Amino acid sequence: LTNYHGVVQISEDTNSAAATALATQYSTAYYASEVAMKLYPGEHILIQAAAGGVGTALTQLAKRKNCIIFGTAGSSEKLDYIKNQGVDYPINYKKTDFEQYIKDIRGDKGIDAVFDSIGGNYVKKSLNILAPGGRLAIYGAAKIAGSSSKKSMLRAVRTLIGFGKYRPTKFFGESQALIGINMLKIGDFKPEILQDCMQNVVKLYETGEIKPVINKIFSADQIQEAHNYIQERKSTGKVVIKW
């Protein structure tokens, strides 16, 4: 039987590209910041890859609660982009060690919530700056992304090892949480939760509280170009393929 719970109705005048972002990146960001690890007003948070689709969505959702946002990106153009989106402390991860940068600013106060789509040793570094009561959500492993070459395979292995091993005592001792997010699993096993996330982001879109950023739209016969565009990390916000 077809499961109809994981769908929501949108108005006829909703931009189709924006709707695509709402159903994917924004629903992921909403689940991460409101369901899996609820953000509270004034919290200090870190968003890895803040210029991406989920990063943009998280920034907009966090600014609604007046959170203080640290965000990473890899170019001056992307740093300008995330600053305009609301990131208070843009960090070029290619030039600056985000862990040390945050320690210099926050001292031993740490970060209340971290949203990580990079994986590998970024997770360990984020745990080093997580405050008591802090939460860390992992929803990707961008370090693994790449071709199937031998070099890429070795990088993938190093990334997996880089995640590290953790003892449960570390987390309950500091009242911290390490959370994995896979919206495909939520859709398969908890479609009512996915539906709730989508309903809420549609409402926020309709009231103008969030605004998906559509970076580029490719046609169906440009799938390879779209893939290369994302893999080469040229994109900001949402990339859409239109049939």
Side-chain angles (χ1 to χ4, degrees), residues 15-36:
N15 180 285
S16 60
T20 302
L22 293 174
T24 51
Q25 281 81 7
Y26 278 78
S27 289
T28 300
Y30 188 90
Y31 179 82
S33 61
E34 293 290 345
V35 180

Side-chain angles (χ1 to χ4, degrees), residues 6 8 15 24 35 58 61-62 64-65 68 78 80 84 101 104 126 154 171 181 191-192 208 212 218:
V8 297
N15 180 285
T24 51
V35 180
L58 283 167
L61 291 169
R64 291 178 61 249
K65 295 191 172 182
I68 294 84
K78 288 187 176 182
D80 288 340
N84 289 334
Y101 178 88
D104 289 342
S126 292
L154 290 172
F171 296 103
I181 295 175
E192 68 282 357
F218 293 87

Side-chain angles (χ1 to χ4, degrees), residues 216-226 240-243:
K216 197 165 184 178
I217 299 176
F218 293 87
S219 61
D221 60 358
Q222 295 177 303
I223 290 178
Q224 184 62 53
E225 292 177 40
V240 174
I241 295 176
K242 189 171 184 178
W243 269 262

Side-chain angles (χ1 to χ4, degrees), residues 127-215:
L127 285 173
N128 290 339
I129 54 173
L130 202 62
R135 298 87 71 202
L136 193 162
I138 306 171
Y139 54 92
K143 274 195 168 187
I144 296 177
S147 66
S148 59
S149 67
K150 185 176 181 180
K151 183 178 180 180
S152 295
M153 294 295 286
L154 290 172
R155 182 175 67 221
V157 171
R158 287 197 299 268
T159 298
L160 293 172
I161 294 173
F163 275 100
K165 296 180 180 180
Y166 307 104
R167 301 185 308 275
T169 51
K170 169 180 172 52
F171 296 103
F172 74 71
E174 295 293 327
S175 193
Q176 296 173 336
L178 177 61
I179 301 166
I181 295 175
N182 182 339
M183 294 307 288
L184 293 176
K185 290 295 183 181
I186 298 300
D188 287 340
F189 294 95
K190 299 286 185 180
E192 68 282 357
I193 294 179
L194 174 60
Q195 184 184 58
D196 182 69
C197 291
M198 290 195 293
Q199 286 173 337
N200 281 291
V201 296
V202 167
K203 289 177 184 177
L204 292 172
Y205 171 73
E206 290 176 345
T207 57
E209 294 181 71
I210 58 175
K211 185 179 181 180
V213 177
I214 309 303
N215 177 239

Side-chain angles (χ1 to χ4, degrees), residues 39-186:
L39 291 178
Y40 291 90
E43 287 195 305
H44 289 74
I45 72 171
L46 168 63
I47 302 173
Q48 301 286 13
V54 178
T56 297
L58 283 167
T59 300
Q60 293 179 6
L61 291 169
K63 292 311 290 186
R64 291 178 61 249
K65 295 191 172 182
N66 296 316
C67 291
I68 294 84
I69 305 174
F70 293 80
T72 63
S75 69
S76 57
E77 293 79 12
K78 288 187 176 182
L79 291 175
D80 288 340
Y81 169 82
I82 64 176
K83 186 175 182 179
N84 289 334
Q85 285 297 311
V87 171
D88 301 285
Y89 296 95
I91 306 167
N92 187 331
Y93 67 86
K94 293 182 178 179
K95 297 180 179 180
T96 303
D97 183 316
F98 74 87
E99 178 187 351
Q100 188 59 53
Y101 178 88
I102 293 173
K103 282 181 177 178
D104 289 342
I105 293 175
R106 294 289 294 159
D108 58 2
K109 295 179 181 178
I111 290 288
D112 300 302
V114 179
F115 300 90
D116 186 279
S117 61
I118 309 298
N121 65 341
Y122 275 51
V123 174
K124 289 198 293 186
K125 291 170 67 67
S126 292
L127 285 173
N128 290 339
I129 54 173
L130 202 62
R135 298 87 71 202
L136 193 162
I138 306 171
Y139 54 92
K143 274 195 168 187
I144 296 177
S147 66
S148 59
S149 67
K150 185 176 181 180
K151 183 178 180 180
S152 295
M153 294 295 286
L154 290 172
R155 182 175 67 221
V157 171
R158 287 197 299 268
T159 298
L160 293 172
I161 294 173
F163 275 100
K165 296 180 180 180
Y166 307 104
R167 301 185 308 275
T169 51
K170 169 180 172 52
F171 296 103
F172 74 71
E174 295 293 327
S175 193
Q176 296 173 336
L178 177 61
I179 301 166
I181 295 175
N182 182 339
M183 294 307 288
L184 293 176
K185 290 295 183 181
I186 298 300

